[in-house]
Amino acid sequence: MHDWQNEVRARLVSLRLKPEREADIVDEIAQHLAERHREAVSGGARPDEATRVALAEFHAGNALAQRIAALKQAHAPATVAAGASTGNWLADFWHDLRYAARAFGKHKSFAATAVLILALGIGATTAIFSVVYSVLIKPLPYPNADELVRLRHSVNGQFGGADFEPTMYVTYRKENRTLASIGLWTDSSVTLTDGGEPERLRGIRVTDGTLQTLSVQPLHGRWFTKDEYGPAADGADPVIISYGFWQRRFGGADDAIGRELSIDSRPARVVGIMPGDFRFLDYATQPDVIAAVRLDEPNLIISGGWSYQGLARLKPGVTSEEARADIQRMRPIWIDSWPLPPIAGATREVLASFPVAAVVRPLKDDIVGGAASMLWVLMGAIGAVLLVACANIANLTLVRADARRQELAVRAALGAGAARIARALLVENLALGAAGSALGLLLAYVGLHFLVALGPSNLPRLQEIGLYAPVLAFTIAVSLLSTVLFGSMTVLKHAVRASAPFVATARGTTTSRERNKARSALVVVQVALALALVVSAALMIRTFQELRDVDPGFAEPTTVQTARIWLPNSLLGQAEQYTRVQHEMLDRIAALPGVESVGFASALPMEGPGWAGTAPIVIEGRVPPPGVFPTTRGTKFVSPGYFEAMGTRLIAGREITWGDIEAGGRVVLISESFAREIAGEPAAAVGKRIRTFVETDAWREIVGVVQGVHETGLYEEAPDFVYFPALLADMWGTPLVGTPFVAFTIRSKRAGTANLMDEVRQAVWSVAAGVPVTHTRTMADLYSGSLARTSFVLVLLAIAGGMALVLGIVGIYGVVAYVVAQRTREIGIRSALGAEPKQLARMFLLQGLALSTIGAVAGLAAAMVLARLMQSLLFGIGPLDPLAYVAALVAVIAAATLASYVPARRAAKIDPMNTLRAE
Amino acid sequence: MTDIDTRALDRELKKGSAELLILSLLEAQPRHGYELSKLIHIRSGGLLTFHIDSLYPLLYRLEERGWIKGTWVEKPGERRRRLYKLTAHGNRVLAAQIKTWETFVEAVRRITAGADHA
């Protein structure tokens, strides 16, 4: 039977007929041919003759097509096959988008889950990257900030609290070849004495050149003039104030310039106001008041009091190394340029013999310092969480795509090519990605506030953290990458396969094993990453434990209240006076109810840099030869009662007494490590004598040895410390030296309460009315402050580990549940054949465990790499701490077991009758 | 009339009259394509043949002009067939064309009547 339809169709192929129209024509003419054929046959022709007759209806040259071509209907506009591409990618895109929206509307739980997981991953990544960017990558807020460097001197490789004195500054400024500008500054907190309660203001004093180096112009007013940096004159001191202070004190008034203030009971005049976004380095509390360091340059002498800090701007093209060499070169020039201090033994040879080295570091590195390693570790951890999230979503989409095989095959039948389907799936994934990113950005914004609030206050540039443009660009890039990651699997797989004819199968599929392999691989990746993160969190927990186990050198810090007292300027310079005032205050505080012991000191442990001092200390009988410098030790000035109030143990000897102080304070206490160095056994050090490196200073007898105190923080060993009495004769080449600014330490069960502090204030004011009492906190606050950075990292890694673990569990659960669902029939049969429920459960449990074990082993390798990167954050343990690894493994395996157990149990409960009946 | 070149006759007559033929055949009742071709063949005594190449493009053209309308009709137990019928417009065209044709034929007759055909 000849295919008439094909004959006709073949002749019409060149025409652009609408498909329905073409079908009609084909049908019609085919019938004509069939009838012709039938007629011929009934007329006696043989079938093949009849066929020839029928086909003779077509004349040569395809006149049929030619004639129809002349008609309108042969010029139908190209129609869209239901599934095929329109050729207009915008229309296609819009169509796909609507289709995707409809599809997600029907499968809300899938879409919601995927978007939520993605949002969490992207939100966390964005938030952490915000911190990394703001702290590590963003340039400092100064013009050409990469030219700025921090200048330091190190003595014997150690840094003191400050490193410069004005004579150095003048020499370096005049003689340098590598610096465009140089300036010094020093902390100079002041008291606003305008009446009412005195307010303590953070302030700095700067030399000429400091503000110029930073190059931030004042918002109103001006910088100091050269004269104002010159010798002190009568009249009000010029000051530049911060934007915040301008708002607070003057209400942002336009006429604030020229207004007068009373600072430290002296008149000051506002000459300039800094802009609102001006930041002086990374001071947590920005200075409100900037005053000038007034130098009588021609008449300076070397003072030996290196209480200034230095910064400079390099000349264009100059490196830090060149600047360092330059400063080192200028040192001998400096030594020879200035008159020496009138201290016996201070000769130019001695000065030259100080093992002092210049250190020049880019300002940003100096500020950011140790935070870098911590932040990159966190970034890596969060990146891992994002990978886990993507793996999870990829798994979800794979499962969903299985269910859509039919739908995709129909689309292929309707004319969609492989590329078309791939594009449609890509659009779906992009829609998911876009929704997840938008939500993630919102979460990041919220999370960032939480992070900044939680962040350790000593995290550099904490106030500069925000969502900047580069961070948003990063988010978009990350979203696209994630989308590609989780989408590519399905897009590739299904686009390729779907265009093949749809094969209807009743149950089970030809490619189920292949699909399960992909899903299992994803789960293994998830478990591996989760294990690495849990290990890192466990290592931080161990670090925290180890840190908490360290004896800080004081006892029961929650019961030790501290407060700083600032005595009026009028007393300064009269050491005896303020020590007497302090003694009086101490007695009054000791008399308060509930106070067990009181003392004061120039610096508290873990109070931060800049309070405690250092000095080279000479041990009697071990005076170093000329040219060799005695080792620098930490120094502090303490009152009687200080150690008792702190709960620091006395190991040998006795404490300082007020009697000692009245006799000239020729006694000291030293720390355990120093004692051992001097005399082997702490007790043997008692009775030995030490003094500062200044030859005219008095020898002081060691009367006691205290346990090592972690003055600078828990991470470092307790340093060698010398505890001087609060008032000393013959110290630093001066007859009498005291400690004007002290922190009181008060041991009481009422520490930390507002009413104890009120009573303390009253006690203080009853001796000296109205003096500022600031920095009121307990030793516990200082202690946790020193742990702040560690806690921060710990919390974030724990969150990351937790998230990854939860996602991993969900992944394992998903795979095992899916396999159970797929093999329901097989389970039913096995069960009917007598398999025990326990056996069945065990089968799937083992499958889940097998996956997790593979993942865990792979994860161990990743964990070890991550741990090595984290090394600088760890304390007391190595990166391969067995306890942490074992704990993490146990946690992950337990979680995996639970995740496999639930669906496995369901397998055991399958009723064979149900499954077999459903055939 | 067997020595008349049928093909030439076909061409000549078809050129002018094809549409008229179809229209008039459909005037009586709706017909399908094959039926039309057979009718023409039989009623012309075999002189005129409309093959597929000529018939269907013609039908489609007439349909596009709105003179005839084709519809698929399905009778029970039979395959569907496409039947064409005359539209009102087609009716008017047919009347006009018949008038023209008759006028033309009359004119030719008058002219040739004068000549003597023995």
Side-chain angles (χ1 to χ4, degrees):
Chain A
M1 192 50 200
H2 205 91
D3 189 345
W4 304 119
Q5 295 216 335
N6 258 353
E7 289 283 351
V8 182
R9 207 176 286 129
R11 286 166 169 77
L12 298 178
V13 112
S14 59
L15 301 172
R16 278 217 333 256
L17 291 161
K18 284 204 175 112
E20 312 91 67
R21 182 68 194 133
E22 185 182 295
D24 278 353
I25 295 178
V26 161
D27 215 8
E28 190 178 8
I29 300 182
Q31 282 182 19
H32 184 119
L33 288 166
E35 288 234 25
R36 194 77 191 82
H37 180 270
R38 205 178 315 127
E39 206 190 290
V41 164
S42 51
R46 285 197 321 277
D48 54 327
E49 277 175 0
T51 307
R52 230 175 307 126
V53 165
L55 289 179
E57 294 260 346
F58 290 117
H59 286 163
N62 203 359
L64 178 67
Q66 280 172 15
R67 290 187 186 137
I68 296 183
L71 300 174
K72 239 192 292 180
Q73 55 200 262
H75 297 273
T79 30
V80 185
S85 127
T86 58
N88 175 0
W89 73 264
L90 195 61
D92 281 350
F93 180 74
W94 185 239
H95 173 261
D96 288 339
L97 210 55
R98 286 200 338 260
Y99 189 84
R102 237 197 341 252
F104 290 145
K106 271 194 278 185
H107 295 102
K108 287 202 194 69
S109 65
F110 162 78
T113 311
V115 166
L116 193 62
I117 293 178
L118 194 61
L120 281 176
I122 290 183
T125 310
T126 304
I128 294 292
F129 184 70
S130 272
V131 175
V132 167
Y133 175 77
S134 309
V135 174
L136 296 180
I137 301 177
K138 191 165 71 81
L140 292 175
Y142 309 115
N144 295 330
D146 49 331
E147 289 171 352
L148 295 174
V149 292
R150 181 71 195 272
L151 304 173
R152 290 178 185 272
H153 289 122
S154 74
V155 178
N156 278 349
Q158 291 174 323
F159 293 113
D163 328 72
F164 280 79
E165 59 160 272
T167 50
M168 291 174 179
Y169 154 71
V170 178
T171 303
Y172 294 171
R173 194 187 70 216
K174 289 198 179 134
E175 304 285 337
N176 82 85
R177 299 175 188 151
T178 54
L179 305 174
S181 63
I182 177 175
L184 307 182
W185 84 92
T186 180
D187 286 337
S188 163
S189 294
V190 295
T191 310
L192 189 62
T193 45
D194 260 9
E197 182 158 328
E199 191 186 337
R200 194 79 195 142
L201 294 176
R202 190 67 188 270
I204 53 174
R205 279 191 181 273
V206 297
T207 63
D208 195 7
T210 308
L211 292 174
Q212 290 90 324
T213 301
L214 292 177
S215 308
V216 178
Q217 294 285 345
L219 182 66
H220 297 298
R222 58 174 177 78
W223 286 338
F224 301 119
T225 62
K226 282 263 180 293
D227 286 343
E228 285 165 345
Y229 285 115
D234 293 328
D237 284 331
V239 291
I240 299 176
I241 60 176
S242 72
Y243 185 87
F245 183 68
W246 176 46
Q247 295 291 324
R248 278 198 328 267
R249 181 74 172 72
F250 296 105
D254 288 333
D255 65 345
I257 305 283
R259 294 261 285 262
E260 291 221 351
L261 298 166
S262 169
I263 289 184
D264 283 344
S265 312
R266 289 210 322 265
R269 197 178 67 256
V270 176
V271 301
I273 301 172
M274 294 307 284
D277 55 0
F278 171 68
R279 292 233 160 298
F280 187 77
L281 305 190
D282 69 330
Y283 280 32
T285 316
Q286 286 284 312
D288 284 321
V289 171
I290 302 175
V293 173
R294 309 200 78 142
L295 299 175
D296 185 4
E297 277 185 26
N299 298 325
L300 288 173
I301 62 169
I302 295 180
S303 67
W306 298 356
S307 53
Y308 290 85
Q309 315 200 51
L311 51 73
R313 186 179 279 278
L314 297 172
K315 285 193 175 135
V318 171
T319 66
S320 302
E321 176 50 38
E322 288 167 357
R324 192 203 58 77
D326 198 21
I327 294 181
Q328 203 72 30
R329 173 190 65 88
M330 290 190 279
R331 213 178 127 66
I333 302 177
W334 165 70
I335 291 175
D336 286 338
S337 301
W338 301 94
L340 292 168
I343 297 177
T347 63
R348 296 197 198 277
E349 289 73 28
V350 169
L351 267 184
S353 74
F354 283 13
V356 168
V359 177
V360 175
R361 287 175 74 190
L363 188 58
K364 185 151 87 123
D365 292 350
D366 195 76
I367 289 178
V368 164
S373 59
M374 166 183 98
L375 289 175
W376 286 119
V377 164
L378 287 177
M379 190 74 219
I382 291 294
V385 172
L386 186 63
L387 278 178
V388 173
C390 287
N392 224 303
I393 299 180
N395 237 334
L396 281 176
T397 47
L398 267 181
V399 170
R400 202 168 92 81
D402 286 346
R404 298 175 64 194
R405 280 182 310 117
Q406 180 170 7
E407 173 211 328
L408 292 175
V410 168
R411 293 191 78 172
L414 283 178
R420 183 76 185 81
I421 291 189
R423 251 188 306 154
L425 288 175
L426 190 63
V427 168
E428 268 188 34
N429 288 328
L430 279 177
L432 270 184
S437 311
L439 186 60
L441 212 51
L442 190 64
L443 287 178
Y445 182 73
V446 169
L448 212 53
H449 282 267
F450 165 75
L451 266 181
V452 171
L454 174 72
S457 59
N458 58 358
L459 185 70
R461 306 178 76 185
L462 187 65
Q463 300 95 3
E464 294 184 55
I465 294 178
L467 283 173
Y468 297 96
V471 176
L472 292 177
F474 172 81
T475 306
I476 293 176
V478 162
S479 317
L480 280 176
L481 190 64
S482 325
T483 308
V484 166
L485 267 180
F486 73 70
S488 58
M489 283 195 103
T490 43
V491 167
L492 287 174
K493 266 176 174 296
H494 288 275
V496 167
R497 209 184 322 120
S499 51
F502 174 60
V503 177
T505 56
R507 195 176 294 279
T509 57
T510 51
T511 56
S512 68
R513 187 174 299 170
E514 179 192 290
R515 232 186 344 273
N516 270 343
K517 262 202 221 134
R519 299 200 61 197
S520 305
L522 283 173
V523 167
V524 165
V525 166
Q526 284 180 299
V527 172
L529 289 173
L531 180 73
L533 288 175
V534 173
V535 163
S536 69
L539 284 172
M540 286 312 293
I541 293 178
R542 289 276 295 130
T543 293
F544 208 73
Q545 278 179 329
E546 293 284 321
L547 280 174
R548 292 209 85 105
D549 279 345
V550 170
D551 184 352
F554 43 83
E556 287 169 46
T558 48
T559 58
V560 180
Q561 176 73 51
T562 71
R564 279 201 162 268
I565 314 282
W566 306 88
L567 294 178
N569 249 26
S570 46
L571 285 179
L572 281 182
Q574 302 164 51
E576 229 175 349
Q577 289 270 46
Y578 41 78
T579 310
R580 196 171 304 156
V581 168
Q582 288 159 352
H583 190 177
E584 183 71 33
M585 288 176 181
L586 187 152
D587 286 339
R588 302 252 174 125
I589 295 174
L592 292 173
V595 170
E596 294 161 29
S597 48
V598 192
F600 59 79
S602 59
L604 296 172
M606 303 177 191
E607 199 178 4
W611 294 111
T614 57
I617 301 288
V618 177
I619 306 166
E620 191 174 40
R622 289 199 221 165
V623 180
V628 177
F629 215 61
T631 319
T632 308
R633 322 276 175 178
T635 60
K636 215 152 97 160
F637 300 89
V638 302
S639 76
Y642 167 74
F643 289 114
E644 192 188 332
M646 290 291 282
T648 308
R649 263 187 359 256
L650 198 63
I651 299 182
R654 63 170 179 85
E655 263 219 58
I656 298 174
T657 64
W658 287 108
D660 291 324
I661 290 182
E662 267 155 47
R666 292 185 172 80
V667 293
V668 289
L669 289 168
I670 61 174
S671 68
E672 185 177 346
S673 55
F674 191 24
R676 284 187 198 282
E677 185 188 324
I678 292 179
E681 279 304 310
V686 175
K688 300 246 187 305
R689 302 205 301 174
I690 58 114
R691 65 163 165 84
T692 69
F693 71 105
V694 177
E695 283 177 13
T696 53
D697 277 4
W699 286 103
R700 293 185 150 79
E701 185 188 334
I702 299 172
V703 296
V705 178
V706 293
Q707 70 172 126
V709 176
H710 285 261
E711 303 276 354
T712 48
L714 289 171
Y715 270 88
E716 292 93 27
E717 290 286 324
D720 297 337
F721 243 78
V722 177
Y723 299 96
F724 290 100
L727 187 64
L728 310 143
D730 299 322
M731 178 80 168
W732 299 133
T734 12
L736 206 57
V737 165
T739 323
F741 304 118
V742 294
F744 272 78
T745 55
I746 307 161
R747 182 171 285 276
S748 161
K749 297 268 187 303
R750 289 162 59 202
T753 60
N755 45 20
L756 177 65
M757 270 323 298
D758 286 341
E759 291 178 21
V760 167
R761 276 200 196 86
Q762 293 304 323
V764 166
W765 288 339
S766 68
V767 177
V771 298
V773 177
T774 61
H775 295 86
T776 57
R777 48 209 169 159
T778 64
M779 278 310 296
D781 296 332
L782 286 171
Y783 179 74
S784 22
S786 77
L787 287 176
R789 210 179 269 192
T790 312
S791 330
F792 183 61
V793 174
L794 172 57
V795 166
L796 288 182
L797 280 180
I799 292 177
M803 277 170 68
L805 196 57
V806 166
L807 288 173
I809 292 179
V810 167
I812 296 175
Y813 175 89
V815 163
V816 177
Y818 188 69
V819 168
V820 165
Q822 283 215 300
R823 296 165 64 178
T824 309
R825 188 163 141 249
E826 175 196 335
I827 297 170
I829 293 174
R830 281 183 192 248
S831 180
L833 287 178
E836 290 281 330
K838 267 208 253 289
Q839 271 177 293
L840 293 169
R842 199 165 3 149
M843 202 169 71
F844 293 103
L845 192 63
L846 286 179
Q847 211 174 24
L849 278 182
L851 275 183
S852 326
T853 313
I854 299 176
V857 167
L860 273 179
M864 288 195 241
V865 169
L866 186 59
R868 204 145 291 246
L869 291 173
M870 282 174 61
Q871 210 155 352
S872 62
L873 300 175
L874 302 179
F875 177 84
I877 57 169
L880 299 177
D881 182 55
L883 206 56
Y885 282 78
V886 167
L889 269 170
V890 166
V892 170
I893 299 284
T897 310
L898 186 65
S900 318
Y901 175 68
V902 172
R905 234 167 70 93
R906 228 186 294 134
K909 291 217 199 109
I910 286 178
D911 180 4
M913 294 312 293
N914 276 334
T915 57
L916 295 176
R917 200 183 306 134
E919 280 297 296
Chain B
M1 293 228 231
T2 44
D3 47 64
I4 298 179
D5 184 356
T6 1
R7 234 183 291 140
L9 191 56
D10 261 348
R11 236 180 293 127
E12 292 311 309
L13 288 176
K14 273 184 195 170
K15 262 193 223 160
S17 62
E19 294 169 8
L20 177 59
L21 292 176
I22 301 291
L23 290 178
S24 64
L25 281 174
L26 289 180
E27 192 188 15
Q29 66 179 83
R31 304 185 195 275
H32 57 77
Y34 188 70
E35 203 183 335
L36 284 169
S37 85
K38 276 213 33 206
L39 276 176
I40 292 174
H41 184 79
I42 289 171
R43 291 202 188 167
S44 72
L47 289 177
L48 296 179
T49 336
F50 270 84
H51 288 295
I52 286 175
D53 283 352
S54 336
L55 175 65
Y56 287 96
L58 175 57
L59 287 171
Y60 301 153
R61 192 172 348 123
L62 295 178
E63 206 180 7
E64 264 186 20
R65 288 192 197 142
W67 294 355
I68 63 177
K69 179 134 177 71
T71 22
W72 287 103
V73 170
E74 191 159 348
K75 299 214 181 97
E78 282 180 27
R79 280 208 63 185
R80 62 175 194 167
R81 311 210 67 152
R82 193 160 178 92
L83 289 180
Y84 291 94
K85 75 170 200 201
L86 211 53
T87 62
H89 188 195
N91 232 322
R92 287 198 294 278
V93 169
L94 175 61
Q97 284 211 354
I98 287 179
K99 200 101 196 330
T100 317
W101 188 249
E102 281 175 345
T103 316
F104 178 68
V105 165
E106 177 63 27
V108 166
R109 200 180 58 76
R110 282 189 200 159
I111 292 168
T112 55
D116 212 28
H117 292 280

